Amino acid sequence: MTKATSSFVALVRALLLCVLLAVAAPAVAQTDPLPSWNDGAAKRAIVSFVKATTEPGSVNFVPQAERIAAFDQDGTLWVEKPMYSQVIYCLDRVPAVVKEKPELANVEPFKTVMSGDREAIAKLSVEDLEKILAATLTGMAVEEFRAEVAKWLDTARDPRWKRRYTELTYLPMQEVLKYLRASGYKTYIVTGGGQDFVRVYAERVYGIPPEQVVGTAAGTQYGYGKDGKPFLTKEPKLLLNDDKAGKPEGIHLMIGRRPVAALGNSTGDREMLEYTKAGAGARLAMLVLHDDAVREYTYGPAQGLADSKVGTFTQALYDEAIKNGWTVISMKNDWKRIFAFD
Amino acid sequence: MTKATSSFVALVRALLLCVLLAVAAPAVAQTDPLPSWNDGAAKRAIVSFVKATTEPGSVNFVPQAERIAAFDQDGTLWVEKPMYSQVIYCLDRVPAVVKEKPELANVEPFKTVMSGDREAIAKLSVEDLEKILAATLTGMAVEEFRAEVAKWLDTARDPRWKRRYTELTYLPMQEVLKYLRASGYKTYIVTGGGQDFVRVYAERVYGIPPEQVVGTAAGTQYGYGKDGKPFLTKEPKLLLNDDKAGKPEGIHLMIGRRPVAALGNSTGDREMLEYTKAGAGARLAMLVLHDDAVREYTYGPAQGLADSKVGTFTQALYDEAIKNGWTVISMKNDWKRIFAFD
């Protein structure tokens, strides 16, 4: 082939590709974006919201720059039982901390954690847990912490499914994240969990970059190493307690715009949903109800169970949701599949 | 025309458009992205950096998700003389504050500001200024503050050019912002100025959305209005002093990634540039030197002038820049035009 002919062939190929894409596009658009969801009120609420806010000419159209969606993490995007993964990480880190500071071996609460006595560990007070969190989450360089968490995520397994914690994300919610992003939304995690902890895996696991993770955050301290290179040390100085009222406050600090959609599962998400709903136009506010003991866990008011300390979903929250038009997602009825490995 | 023929005609038109775009693309790519820059070391440093970090196969290639560029604002993106625009805003707001709280009329420093005595105002202490900042930047709803700033920006004029403050942005830096974004970079403002203040206009003026503005930030307080609607009130509680070491600390808090490029103009930017440069691979670190008294202002070491309190550029900073391979931008020699209205 001459060079000109070859260019022409390449051009024709490119044109054919254009045609194929043009023909294929409508078919793609009509594929169900939420295949793991049963047809029901929850799925319909999501799809109607996306159409209302993104279809040109819609009275509730939202310009792309303002399309912000906020997702709680624990209990909303992944499993939070029997305990938040980050707390398990902190407990798992205690032996390494004690190895570095042997004097802690006989000091509570480290002594109890080192004993391996599960019942005693489960009874640790909030103050005890705070000491463990401070010892395992602060005092090291930012890069060091990141490497430690990455290593733990790679090796640790949850007690029930014997899988990596990062595999325990809910497939239906992953579909919502992707669907919203494909519709021009910027997806954020807004979590009571540690901002630096979640940032280690959020990009890989949820497709959410570090700058779109808002979480409980402590300060850092800028300094210089022996080699003269600057680095940041994680300090035990709380800047943002990203829970309850702290969620809208954190959203203002980190994003500076009111979300159009907010999804959570507990009383810790109440203010974020209220704040989101208080904006004008179409808004999406959803709460995941854990009512599937067979495939996951059961906790919350619909089960007539005592309130759970992890992922509290009170009757009052349920009533507020119904009153305000928030959608309650039933894991049992709304989700065809829960995990990608199902 | 039959329906089939008409579809065919539409298809051919679409294909022709594809061809036109394909042919036009290389020409567009070769247009000078920095037309307001004179050919020189500074311009070459920017272009080589972009090529090194974005051309596939380059040893210093940076994946798109990690392309973060941080820009100081005052003195780097817009004029900071004779005083930071935000401070002028705060002084301009004093009459409204006194009108609401008449008891302040006879209390210093409000009394001095109300007197209109420019010399006395210029002599106000840092503590006095802090009182004025607290009275004019906190205590109101977030939306109320936003509306007040927007109104001021629309009406206020700077004393020298008699233009809106938002017109006093440097055209060459606007070109760098656009060039970096066209090369897949996410551009951030990292400013000692108030985060909420800058967010009011950053999107319109710089194309930088609120979530990409990192600045000095105070906390907010979540609460409910008389109508039961939730809102956030700006509190006088400093969360982040985004200056000097506070810049890399703020970058970690708000972005969570080390920038690949950082541009500033004063000692307040030193740590941000150090932190940026300490990362591996090709890095861009630049300082704007104000050495053009005719077209803008002259301050900094090259002029043998005393250090300025606003936009301090000491001899030590200049020496560090030369030693570390940071590029010093001479406004006089590197910039063909300074403002879009020139």
Side-chain angles (χ1 to χ4, degrees):
Chain A
M1 269 193 296
T2 66
K3 214 167 174 185
T5 327
S6 136
S7 294
F8 180 73
V9 170
L11 185 63
V12 168
R13 276 195 190 134
L15 293 180
L16 278 174
L17 190 64
C18 281
V19 175
L20 281 171
L21 287 174
V23 171
V28 169
Q30 277 169 29
T31 304
D32 182 357
L34 303 172
S36 301
W37 291 71
N38 286 313
D39 286 322
K43 181 173 180 172
R44 281 196 302 274
I46 301 167
V47 174
S48 326
F49 164 79
V50 168
K51 287 191 175 167
T53 56
T54 63
E55 281 183 355
S58 161
V59 286
N60 288 315
F61 181 81
V62 176
Q64 185 158 345
E66 291 166 28
R67 293 183 199 158
I68 303 286
F71 289 77
D72 168 60
Q73 189 196 211
D74 296 303
T76 300
L77 291 181
W78 74 353
V79 175
E80 63 185 344
K81 295 281 179 179
M83 181 43 71
Y84 302 122
S85 305
Q86 189 180 355
V87 173
I88 301 172
Y89 166 78
C90 292
L91 292 171
D92 283 358
R93 280 290 302 165
V94 167
V97 169
V98 169
K99 199 176 168 188
E100 256 181 54
K101 294 183 188 170
E103 66 275 20
L104 291 178
N106 292 310
V107 178
E108 289 298 355
F110 304 97
K111 196 178 165 184
T112 297
V113 177
M114 292 301 286
S115 75
D117 178 345
R118 283 178 182 232
E119 270 184 51
I121 294 170
K123 280 181 195 155
L124 289 174
S125 69
V126 172
E127 290 72 33
D128 283 337
L129 273 179
E130 278 173 1
K131 279 180 199 162
I132 293 165
L133 266 57
T136 53
L137 300 176
T138 67
M140 72 289 286
V142 158
E143 278 82 8
E144 201 182 323
F145 175 73
R146 206 176 279 151
E148 280 162 8
V149 174
K151 201 174 117 193
W152 180 81
L153 288 170
D154 221 32
T155 50
R157 295 293 184 275
D158 90 285
R160 179 164 163 186
W161 289 276
K162 319 287 177 208
R163 287 181 179 269
R164 285 185 181 85
Y165 288 95
T166 49
E167 290 180 74
L168 302 185
T169 63
Y170 306 132
L171 184 61
M173 294 305 264
Q174 292 272 17
E175 291 170 2
V176 176
L177 285 171
K178 281 180 193 144
Y179 179 36
L180 286 173
R181 286 199 291 262
S183 307
Y185 274 86
K186 241 183 185 173
T187 53
Y188 281 81
I189 289 176
V190 180
T191 174
Q195 185 164 284
D196 282 350
F197 184 83
V198 179
R199 280 172 167 174
V200 178
Y201 56 85
E203 191 151 37
R204 175 171 53 86
V205 174
Y206 303 115
I208 294 179
E211 61 268 29
Q212 285 164 228
V213 174
V214 180
T216 294
T220 54
Q221 171 87 48
Y222 182 82
Y224 302 89
K226 282 178 193 160
D227 56 359
K229 277 206 172 186
F231 71 101
L232 294 167
T233 304
K234 285 172 68 65
E235 295 285 293
K237 183 195 156 198
L238 188 69
L239 286 185
L240 173 65
N241 181 5
D242 198 51
D243 194 32
K244 300 193 169 76
K247 289 208 174 189
E249 291 163 9
I251 287 169
H252 178 71
L253 176 69
M254 304 280 295
I255 311 176
R257 301 193 204 253
R258 192 193 297 261
V260 192
L263 294 89
N265 78 304
S266 80
T267 51
D269 303 309
R270 190 184 144 218
E271 287 82 354
M272 174 169 79
L273 268 65
E274 287 176 348
Y275 180 66
T276 300
K277 262 286 194 180
R283 301 274 153 170
L284 184 68
M286 306 189 98
L287 286 171
V288 175
L289 181 67
H290 295 260
D291 58 357
D292 194 328
V294 177
R295 296 186 299 169
E296 206 240 12
Y297 291 99
T298 307
Y299 50 104
Q303 290 66 49
L305 294 176
D307 295 338
S308 161
K309 272 187 193 170
V310 169
T312 312
F313 192 145
T314 59
Q315 187 63 47
L317 180 67
Y318 193 89
D319 295 344
E320 187 176 353
I322 301 305
K323 189 183 141 208
N324 295 343
W326 304 348
T327 305
V328 176
I329 300 165
S330 159
M331 288 186 92
K332 192 173 175 182
N333 302 319
D334 286 315
W335 290 358
K336 265 185 215 162
R337 282 172 73 188
I338 295 201
F339 303 110
F341 57 78
D342 273 347
Chain B
M1 268 191 297
T2 65
K3 215 168 173 184
T5 327
S6 138
S7 294
F8 179 74
V9 170
L11 185 63
V12 169
R13 277 195 189 133
L15 293 181
L16 277 173
L17 190 64
C18 281
V19 176
L20 282 170
L21 287 173
V23 171
V28 169
Q30 277 170 28
T31 305
D32 182 357
L34 303 172
S36 301
W37 291 71
N38 286 314
D39 286 321
K43 181 174 180 169
R44 281 197 301 273
I46 301 168
V47 174
S48 327
F49 164 79
V50 168
K51 288 191 174 167
T53 55
T54 63
E55 281 183 355
S58 161
V59 285
N60 287 315
F61 182 81
V62 176
Q64 186 159 343
E66 291 167 28
R67 293 183 200 158
I68 303 285
F71 289 76
D72 168 60
Q73 189 195 212
D74 295 303
T76 299
L77 292 180
W78 75 351
V79 174
E80 63 185 346
K81 295 281 178 178
M83 180 43 70
Y84 302 122
S85 305
Q86 188 179 356
V87 173
I88 301 172
Y89 166 78
C90 292
L91 292 170
D92 282 358
R93 280 291 300 166
V94 167
V97 169
V98 169
K99 201 177 168 189
E100 256 182 54
K101 295 184 189 170
E103 67 273 19
L104 291 178
N106 293 309
V107 178
E108 288 299 353
F110 304 97
K111 196 177 165 183
T112 297
V113 178
M114 293 301 287
S115 75
D117 178 345
R118 283 176 182 232
E119 269 184 53
I121 294 171
K123 279 181 195 153
L124 288 174
S125 68
V126 172
E127 290 72 33
D128 283 337
L129 273 180
E130 277 173 3
K131 279 181 198 162
I132 292 165
L133 265 58
T136 53
L137 300 175
T138 69
M140 71 291 284
V142 159
E143 278 82 6
E144 201 182 324
F145 175 73
R146 206 176 281 151
E148 280 162 7
V149 174
K151 203 174 115 191
W152 180 82
L153 289 170
D154 221 33
T155 50
R157 295 292 184 278
D158 89 284
R160 177 164 164 188
W161 289 276
K162 318 287 178 208
R163 289 181 178 269
R164 286 186 181 85
Y165 288 95
T166 50
E167 291 180 74
L168 302 184
T169 64
Y170 306 132
L171 184 62
M173 293 305 262
Q174 292 273 17
E175 291 171 0
V176 177
L177 285 171
K178 281 180 192 143
Y179 178 38
L180 286 174
R181 286 199 291 264
S183 307
Y185 274 87
K186 241 184 185 171
T187 52
Y188 281 80
I189 289 175
V190 179
T191 174
Q195 186 164 284
D196 283 351
F197 184 84
V198 179
R199 280 172 167 175
V200 177
Y201 56 85
E203 191 152 36
R204 175 170 54 85
V205 174
Y206 303 115
I208 294 180
E211 61 268 29
Q212 284 163 228
V213 174
V214 180
T216 295
T220 55
Q221 171 88 48
Y222 182 83
Y224 302 89
K226 282 178 192 160
D227 57 359
K229 278 206 171 183
F231 70 100
L232 295 168
T233 304
K234 286 172 67 65
E235 296 284 293
K237 183 194 155 199
L238 188 69
L239 286 186
L240 173 66
N241 182 7
D242 198 50
D243 194 33
K244 300 192 169 74
K247 289 207 174 191
E249 291 163 9
I251 287 169
H252 179 72
L253 176 69
M254 305 280 296
I255 311 177
R257 303 192 204 254
R258 192 193 297 261
V260 192
L263 294 90
N265 78 301
S266 79
T267 51
D269 303 309
R270 189 185 145 219
E271 287 83 354
M272 174 169 78
L273 268 64
E274 287 176 347
Y275 181 65
T276 301
K277 262 286 195 180
R283 302 272 152 170
L284 184 69
M286 305 189 98
L287 286 170
V288 176
L289 181 67
H290 294 260
D291 58 358
D292 193 330
V294 177
R295 296 186 300 169
E296 206 241 13
Y297 291 100
T298 307
Y299 50 105
Q303 289 67 47
L305 294 176
D307 294 336
S308 162
K309 273 188 193 170
V310 169
T312 313
F313 192 144
T314 59
Q315 187 64 47
L317 180 66
Y318 193 90
D319 296 343
E320 187 176 353
I322 301 307
K323 189 184 141 208
N324 295 343
W326 306 347
T327 305
V328 175
I329 300 165
S330 159
M331 288 186 93
K332 193 172 174 182
N333 302 320
D334 286 314
W335 291 357
K336 264 186 214 161
R337 281 172 74 188
I338 295 200
F339 303 110
F341 58 77
D342 272 346

